[in-house]
Amino acid sequence: MKRRNFLKGVLYGTGATMAIAGGFGTFNKLGSVKAEAIGEDLETTVFSSCEMCRNQCPIAVKVKDGKVVKIDGHPDDAAFGGVICARGNAGPSLLYDPQRIKKPMIRTGERGEGKFKEVSWDEAYTYISDKLYNVKDQYGGEAIALASRKGPHDWFFRSIGKAMGSPNVFSHEATCPMTRSVALDTTFGNEAIAADYANTKYLISIGRNWFEGIHVAQTRAVSKALSNGAKLVVLDPRFSITASKGEWLPIKATTDLAFVMAMANIMIDENLYDKNFISQYTEGFEKWAEEVKDKTPEWAEKETGISKEKIIRITREFAAAKPQAILDFGWRTAYTPNDYQLRRAILIVNMMIGNLEVPGGYYRTKPANFLKDFPDQAVYAKGLGNITQPSFPKASQGRIDGTGVKGTPGQIIPAYDGAVGKIVESILTEEPYPIRAWLVHRFNPYISLTESPRVLEAFKKLDLLVTCDVYMTDTAYFSDVVLPECTYLERSEPIFDMSGLTPKYVIRQAAVPLVYSDTKPYWQIYKELGEKMGIGDYFEFKDMEDYMSQQLRPTGITLDKMKEMGVWTPPGMNAFYVRASDANASLDNVLSNHSKKIEIFSVDVEEATKQGVPKYISHPQPEEGKFRFVQGKVAVHTNAGTANVPILNELMPTNTLWMNPVSCTKLGLKDEDEIVIASGLYEHKGKIKMTEGIRPDTVFCYHGFGRVSPELRRAFGKGINGNHLIPNEIGEVGNTVTSTTFVTVRKA
Amino acid sequence: MDKSMIAELYLSFAAVFHRPNPDVSDHLEELVDLWSEVIPEIDEAVQKLATFCREFPPGEQRLNALWEHYIPLFETGEVEASPYASVYSGEKGLVLGKEAFNVQQFYANCGYVMGEKSGELPDHLAVELEFCALLARNGQSEALMEFQKKHLTPFLKSILPRIKNSDRPVYSDIATILEIRQLNLQKEGDFVG
Ligand code: SF4
């Protein structure tokens, strides 16, 4: 019989699928391996770093019997104090999730139909390579776009696009704090400025929410300041967890710049600013003084809804605490198209109290190469080495987002980040030219970009969409090829420079072997893809051990030592503030611009936007019956990344629409009512959360829900995807805009 | 039933619950023949399988049709019936739980270890069925009985209803057949067949 041939062949080892022990090759004879060895009760700790969000906190992974059983913070890193957040704790549930992607997949049905087949890595690489070269031949390398969540994978991922001659490589920053980066860059000449929360005495947040948008070291630092008696003031239309820890000012959304300009007005009027600092280190102050001279507290009260008395009191308190006071520069998606001018104004008001390079203020981060210019610090200057690459071909076209074009806002958009929302527009409108292929690495444009339905339309027009991720995300679901990345607990990767007030290096190393054996680390994926595409020269390292060793060589730290320590800071070095002991110390090394001044008036910004100092633009407020729609982060999820992670989904499977009881009553709604939210073009279903913790003219939901990939089984169809309702408006410096949309709400 | 037949039966089920591959896909008719020959009262399921085989002749189309259902059923994302025993035995529905270590230990005690190239977790449904095939082939009937009792049967009780309820062609029919086969074994009080 035929079947006897097939099954018998397999069973006794004569068939095509035969292996040593017979069967489908799953088993081998045990041979010399001792049976008892499998049950050995081994317990170890592996130092690595978390990746449940992009903060890369150093961690200590407890491994028992080859399995991750617990994750703690690294015990020797004082900034983290041995703790991690809830998301970090949920790492093992991601690692052992049966819903992860396990093999490369190629789409077999219509796009978005969810039909795929699993293929070998070689097949996947060949498919991608062929399609990319087709696009390049037909439309040019610039028709290929790449977008990723910013991180150490960029060096590898981006090499593919750059080697194909594409200028269109993007990070996710435009959907995150890019307006802040632009403000830092155009004020100080570099983005590497951080806040010394732990030592501050007065902290004003403009929507920054350290207790829900968690960065463990920063959240701990703010907590430390508060327990030392620092005062916290929070401007937010919503009563966030952070607002609950201080004085909550429920400001009208989009009017924050009015508050900040009024602070400057009061400080000038009452002589509360640091004149010496302003004259020694800044330029353009008089233009700023002119700009804010009519931005009185009375004017600001009308704009912001916050009483002039409060604005005056807070400004006086803030100035009295100088220089150990921080008006926080924020870390979130832009509110308005001109959000970067708000960020610039924030930086300027900070500089008015001279809080740069002193404890409790702002500081330039201190990587090793920075220290070499300071004679008493040069001994700590052990910089990481770079891995060299041949030069990339010059792109034959400019970027689709106009980055780098003089005399336009593109002049000040950071080329490393770009305006990622522009990819969707270029696919759909073919302006300035069409994008035909999009490679996405651990980024989910469907959830992270505004106007999600338009993002789906764009996906459908592509010749090639490739997603590399751990889950079948919404974007993966619409992709042609899905590449399964292993999790951070299964991979080693380049040493990170996480310098703060001292240099600091952190390692990520595999804590356990691959759970699903056909998943791979990103560096291997892009190296192998590069080799398949004939661009292997850009990946001149043998493996990650080799890569890390090359990085560490100039530091004199061995890889074994780094693995053993997990975190390295120069022994004996104290926190270094350039002006700690000399208020007049030179800031030439801190400022990376040509002027070597803090540019309150910026020639570049003037050229790019005609606003060399921030100017106030009044944004419309919602009329009766409409609400301003705002979004924010929650402590147990990371934006688009974790809605499907088992434990985090269990903690918070869905979101709701926050609405004030006054507004609920007007609309005849009560808590938990099913509703429809409408923003004009789009509608979304949801549920009401009736709460005093929001202004009556504003509604709010947490970001990252409302997933459309049925293969995110736990998260699918649950909650509101705020970005479904918000138009894809690209702000002045390429930023996403999230707080200018008005909605109506009705009972479902 | 002789040991070779028992082994072939286990192997036939292992074959379909492994990831789809051209060899098994092209020999699906032969597996159906085997089941209809030796397992009573499975006519309806066999009919459905025969219809599928007619609709999708051997080749790429059939293979893709199998993938279409195998992926959401077992593999990625929705995972309607996770193929790992650990998922059903505590530890919050995650893989590589205690059961995975227990079956791995059992394999070792019987003289087997999973090959490095297999790339599968030890408590995958297909792996456990394939292991039973090897035990049956080798005449290790006591071990087979013990493995059935301690590991395979409780696992099948959890997973087969899920596969059946998925209503996915081929897989739900084969789950029905495997369930009937298990019931028959229990009725006969003879786990080894
Ligand atoms: S903040 Fe939390 S999730 Fe993010 S890296 Fe740190 S521990 Fe992980």
Side-chain angles (χ1 to χ4, degrees):
Chain A
M1 278 167 78
K2 229 173 138 199
R3 80 166 154 79
R4 293 250 183 251
N5 292 340
F6 172 64
L7 283 172
K8 272 194 177 8
V10 175
L11 194 56
Y12 296 100
T14 54
T17 47
M18 152 59 207
I20 302 158
F24 294 100
T26 307
F27 290 96
N28 288 335
K29 290 279 189 198
L30 194 52
S32 58
V33 184
K34 286 221 167 64
E36 304 81 65
I38 292 164
E40 267 177 22
D41 213 20
L42 289 175
E43 200 169 336
T44 51
T45 298
V46 180
F47 292 125
S48 188
S49 62
C50 179
E51 197 186 52
M52 295 301 283
C53 79
R54 64 174 279 212
N55 294 333
Q56 301 169 176
C57 298
I59 51 175
V61 186
K62 307 268 182 260
V63 179
K64 194 173 175 212
D65 294 341
K67 206 183 153 185
V68 174
V69 288
K70 181 147 185 359
I71 303 177
D72 293 314
H74 194 300
D76 301 334
D77 190 321
F80 293 85
V83 300
I84 51 170
C85 76
R87 296 166 299 163
N89 267 299
S93 79
L94 165 68
L95 175 65
Y96 298 117
D97 188 356
Q99 292 187 30
R100 279 175 52 191
I101 312 170
K102 303 173 186 76
K103 300 258 178 189
M105 291 191 283
I106 290 180
R107 178 167 65 83
T108 57
E110 291 301 307
R111 200 185 286 286
E113 206 185 358
K115 291 184 183 171
F116 292 90
K117 65 177 175 184
E118 291 183 349
V119 295
S120 68
W121 280 97
D122 193 60
E123 271 176 278
Y125 293 145
T126 304
Y127 186 95
I128 296 169
S129 174
D130 290 350
K131 289 271 184 182
L132 284 179
Y133 278 112
N134 283 347
V135 167
K136 186 175 186 232
D137 291 346
Q138 225 178 317
Y139 304 97
E142 66 274 12
I144 300 166
L146 290 89
S148 59
R149 198 173 76 182
K150 207 167 181 171
H153 44 261
D154 283 342
W155 188 91
F156 308 86
F157 176 59
R158 289 170 172 230
S159 294
I160 299 287
K162 291 194 283 186
M164 295 295 278
S166 174
N168 293 312
V169 289
F170 296 82
S171 78
H172 80 295
E173 285 292 290
T175 68
C176 218
M178 195 168 85
T179 53
R180 179 182 84 171
S181 319
V182 176
L184 287 167
D185 221 355
T186 50
T187 308
F188 301 108
N190 72 67
E191 298 173 17
I193 304 285
D196 183 23
Y197 298 118
N199 294 306
T200 204
K201 291 191 170 143
Y202 203 93
L203 180 56
I204 304 176
S205 149
I206 297 186
R208 176 78 199 275
N209 186 1
W210 295 277
F211 296 94
E212 292 183 276
I214 290 179
H215 178 297
V216 169
Q218 291 179 18
T219 307
R220 280 173 53 82
V222 171
S223 301
K224 185 178 167 200
L226 295 182
S227 41
N228 286 341
K231 165 129 195 217
L232 172 66
V233 176
V234 179
L235 284 78
D236 197 326
R238 177 180 80 100
F239 188 61
S240 66
I241 305 280
T242 303
S244 75
K245 312 264 180 234
E247 180 179 351
W248 177 39
L249 303 182
I251 190 168
K252 270 187 222 166
T254 71
T255 67
D256 312 87
L257 183 55
F259 185 94
V260 175
M261 292 179 98
M263 284 183 79
N265 173 290
I266 297 161
M267 285 161 75
I268 294 169
D269 196 46
E270 298 188 10
N271 239 330
L272 301 176
Y273 67 101
D274 184 336
K275 289 198 189 65
N276 288 341
F277 185 92
I278 290 291
S279 67
Q280 185 178 350
Y281 298 112
T282 73
E283 65 178 24
F285 182 71
E286 49 314 321
K287 290 199 172 74
W288 172 242
E290 181 63 24
E291 195 60 44
V292 299
K293 81 167 186 260
D294 58 349
K295 301 299 180 286
T296 60
E298 292 75 15
W299 166 83
E301 176 179 306
K302 287 197 199 96
E303 282 296 310
T304 63
I306 298 168
S307 75
K308 63 176 192 289
E309 290 77 17
K310 274 191 187 164
I311 301 174
I312 293 168
R313 172 177 53 80
I314 287 163
T315 305
R316 287 176 184 162
E317 288 171 359
F318 173 75
K322 71 174 176 293
Q324 279 174 280
I326 292 172
L327 172 60
D328 191 61
F329 54 0
W331 185 358
R332 55 155 302 132
T333 320
Y335 294 128
T336 63
N338 68 330
D339 188 274
Y340 82 104
Q341 291 291 14
L342 164 66
R343 306 296 151 191
R344 263 178 55 73
I346 289 171
L347 296 175
I348 294 168
V349 168
N350 279 292
M351 294 309 103
M352 287 174 71
I353 60 162
N355 67 357
L356 187 62
E357 287 298 333
V358 287
Y362 286 93
Y363 62 89
R364 162 80 160 86
T365 58
K366 309 291 188 308
N369 57 5
F370 174 81
L371 296 178
K372 65 182 181 336
D373 297 323
F374 296 85
D376 54 341
Q377 304 289 339
V379 62
Y380 305 119
K382 292 179 167 185
L384 288 174
N386 291 321
I387 283 61
T388 51
Q389 285 181 301
S391 52
F392 288 100
K394 197 169 161 16
S396 56
Q397 293 257 22
R399 290 172 59 103
I400 50 172
D401 55 3
T403 293
V405 179
K406 281 258 179 204
T408 72
Q411 179 177 339
I412 54 173
I413 300 176
Y416 191 89
D417 300 312
V420 67
K422 185 68 179 143
I423 299 178
V424 169
E425 298 310 316
S426 294
I427 295 168
L428 290 172
T429 64
E430 308 198 347
E431 293 295 337
Y433 51 81
I435 291 292
R436 305 296 308 195
W438 190 356
L439 311 188
V440 175
H441 183 86
R442 227 180 304 139
F443 177 53
N444 189 356
Y446 175 78
I447 291 290
S448 298
L449 296 180
T450 44
E451 204 166 344
S452 316
R454 198 165 162 80
V455 177
L456 287 194
E457 281 313 303
F459 288 166
K460 288 177 187 162
K461 253 190 103 177
L462 286 166
D463 294 345
L464 178 70
L465 176 59
V466 178
T467 299
C468 180
D469 212 310
V470 293
Y471 279 124
M472 185 65 108
T473 63
D474 312 281
T475 300
Y477 193 72
F478 282 82
S479 293
D480 299 281
V481 186
V482 181
L483 302 175
E485 194 187 18
C486 61
T487 70
Y488 66 101
L489 292 164
E490 306 160 282
R491 85 170 103 87
S492 300
E493 58 184 69
I495 312 280
F496 320 132
D497 188 333
M498 285 177 64
S499 302
L501 286 159
T502 67
K504 175 152 99 178
Y505 301 138
V506 177
I507 197 169
R508 179 171 286 146
Q509 56 182 322
V512 286
L514 297 172
V515 170
Y516 301 114
S517 64
D518 226 6
T519 58
K520 293 187 183 198
Y522 61 78
W523 57 264
Q524 188 180 356
I525 294 172
Y526 297 117
K527 180 173 163 57
E528 289 174 355
L529 175 60
E531 282 159 0
K532 174 62 72 179
M533 292 173 68
I535 50 174
D537 289 357
Y538 293 100
F539 302 88
E540 277 300 320
F541 58 93
K542 202 165 117 263
D543 51 26
M544 195 34 62
E545 295 262 318
D546 176 38
Y547 190 103
M548 291 194 282
S549 302
Q550 289 191 50
Q551 279 185 293
L552 285 171
R553 200 160 295 139
T555 68
I557 309 163
T558 64
L559 182 55
D560 284 345
K561 190 77 190 152
M562 194 64 218
K563 286 181 177 177
E564 194 187 311
M565 294 185 298
V567 175
W568 178 88
T569 48
M573 183 180 170
N574 295 321
F576 174 40
Y577 308 87
V578 176
R579 295 176 58 244
S581 54
D582 175 6
N584 296 316
S586 166
L587 290 180
D588 281 5
N589 292 319
V590 171
L591 303 170
S592 315
N593 45 19
H594 288 309
S595 63
K596 291 291 170 196
K597 293 281 181 193
I598 297 161
E599 295 183 357
I600 291 176
F601 173 86
S602 158
V603 175
D604 282 349
V605 176
E606 178 68 24
E607 259 177 44
T609 70
K610 314 293 173 258
Q611 284 191 44
V613 290
K615 292 185 195 305
Y616 189 70
I617 292 174
S618 188
H619 297 281
Q621 294 297 321
E623 56 200 50
E624 187 62 29
K626 288 194 172 176
F627 302 90
R628 182 181 301 283
F629 182 69
V630 297
Q631 301 188 67
K633 287 188 69 172
V634 67
V636 297
H637 280 294
T638 301
N639 299 326
T642 60
N644 205 56
V645 172
I647 287 182
L648 299 178
N649 182 274
E650 204 178 310
L651 284 172
M652 184 175 175
T654 188
N655 64 353
T656 49
L657 188 77
W658 292 32
M659 187 183 269
N660 188 284
V662 172
S663 313
C664 284
T665 309
K666 276 190 193 159
L667 296 177
L669 295 171
K670 52 183 192 319
D671 202 25
E672 300 205 355
D673 269 354
E674 303 280 347
I675 44 149
V676 176
I677 314 159
S679 66
L681 269 184
Y682 306 107
E683 294 196 338
H684 204 306
K685 286 191 173 164
K687 233 180 195 182
I688 280 284
K689 174 188 163 94
M690 191 164 78
T691 169
E692 298 278 355
I694 185 124
R695 287 174 56 91
D697 62 356
T698 305
V699 289
F700 163 89
C701 72
Y702 284 115
H703 171 58
F705 295 89
R707 315 306 288 265
V708 296
S709 165
E711 303 214 11
L712 296 170
R713 188 181 177 191
R714 302 178 191 96
F716 174 60
K718 290 185 188 155
I720 306 155
N721 167 19
N723 280 346
H724 184 95
L725 295 161
I726 300 175
N728 187 27
E729 182 183 7
I730 295 174
E732 212 160 3
V733 293
N735 52 288
T736 302
V737 178
T738 58
S739 295
T740 54
T741 299
F742 300 139
V743 296
T744 56
V745 180
R746 64 174 194 271
K747 210 165 186 164
Chain B
M1 203 183 284
D2 71 32
K3 68 175 190 182
S4 162
M5 180 66 84
I6 298 165
E8 280 184 46
L9 262 180
Y10 280 120
L11 197 70
S12 64
F13 290 115
V16 287
F17 290 122
H18 269 303
R19 293 185 171 81
N21 70 70
D23 267 340
V24 172
S25 170
D26 289 351
H27 289 89
L28 193 56
E29 284 87 348
E30 297 161 30
L31 306 185
V32 178
D33 279 354
L34 170 68
W35 299 327
S36 58
E37 235 177 75
V38 297
I39 306 172
E41 297 161 29
I42 57 167
D43 295 354
E44 196 186 328
V46 165
Q47 279 311 316
K48 286 192 194 160
L49 287 169
T51 308
F52 175 88
C53 289
R54 270 196 306 278
E55 198 182 331
F56 297 98
E60 198 184 338
Q61 245 197 322
R62 176 184 290 179
L63 192 59
N64 283 350
L66 290 176
W67 275 123
E68 183 185 330
H69 299 291
Y70 189 91
I71 289 176
L73 189 51
F74 297 123
E75 193 64 345
T76 290
E78 195 153 356
V79 194
E80 293 152 8
S82 181
Y84 306 105
S86 293
V87 169
Y88 305 99
S89 55
E91 302 222 20
K92 304 182 189 99
L94 302 178
V95 302
L96 267 186
K98 206 151 186 45
E99 180 63 4
F101 288 87
N102 290 345
V103 293
Q104 200 176 13
Q105 184 70 62
F106 200 106
Y107 302 154
N109 291 342
C110 294
Y112 287 98
V113 68
M114 288 183 67
E116 273 188 14
K117 284 197 184 129
S118 91
E120 199 38 273
L121 297 182
D123 57 344
H124 190 286
L125 175 61
V127 172
E128 292 199 9
L129 288 164
E130 189 180 335
F131 176 66
C132 290
L134 297 183
L135 293 181
R137 179 199 67 181
N138 299 344
Q140 293 167 276
S141 46
E142 258 179 50
L144 177 54
M145 201 163 347
E146 193 188 338
F147 187 79
Q148 279 261 21
K149 199 169 149 197
K150 280 194 180 154
H151 301 292
L152 185 63
T153 303
F155 180 20
L156 292 179
K157 275 191 181 147
S158 298
I159 193 173
L160 291 181
R162 284 180 162 81
I163 305 175
K164 275 171 55 188
N165 292 340
S166 74
D167 278 335
R168 291 198 175 269
V170 181
Y171 295 103
S172 60
D173 303 321
I174 294 170
T176 302
I177 294 172
L178 180 52
E179 193 176 64
I180 291 171
R181 155 88 181 147
Q182 288 298 107
L183 276 176
N184 290 344
L185 290 181
Q186 278 164 25
K187 268 190 232 154
E188 290 158 19
D190 175 4
F191 278 93
V192 185

